[in-house]
Amino acid sequence: MIPTVVQVYAQQNYLIVQFDDGKIVRWDASALRQIGGVFTKLQDDRVFVEELTVLNGSVAWSRDFDPDHCIDLDPLRLYTEGEIINVTKEPDSE
């Protein structure tokens, strides 16, 4: 099963990402911001924060919410590589 991103926000060079199963991770985006190529525009702090969104279940940067005009990340990579902040657990059933 591929995890689905439901919420994301930027915190300096990090992404705080919440998934549909309640898992929340902190993912270091500093290396991504230095890669260049299609990721060059993410070096601009304004773009990194203001264009950050959830699009089709993944973290993306987009001005117009068009999947053809966005930069997006693999949600499975974020899910497995992110530092776990919190995991929502189902209450124990009695």
Side-chain angles (χ1 to χ4, degrees), residues 2-78:
I2 297 177
T4 301
V5 175
V6 294
Q7 188 172 10
V8 64
Y9 70 92
Q11 185 180 59
Q12 296 175 346
N13 278 327
Y14 292 89
L15 299 175
I16 307 301
V17 185
Q18 181 177 1
F19 295 91
D20 58 344
D21 66 356
K23 182 176 180 179
I24 301 171
V25 301
R26 181 174 169 225
W27 191 78
D28 186 351
S30 57
L32 176 74
R33 296 183 74 187
Q34 300 305 316
I35 289 175
V38 299
F39 298 105
T40 299
K41 74 180 203 170
L42 299 182
Q43 293 172 1
D44 180 334
D45 290 336
R46 186 199 59 77
V47 171
F48 185 71
V49 173
E50 294 178 14
E51 293 186 17
L52 179 64
T53 189
V54 175
L55 189 60
N56 295 328
S58 186
V59 170
W61 287 268
S62 176
R63 270 189 261 161
D64 60 6
F65 301 101
D66 183 338
D68 294 329
H69 302 145
C70 75
I71 298 171
D72 59 346
L73 302 178
D74 177 5
L76 186 57
R77 179 178 178 193
L78 299 171

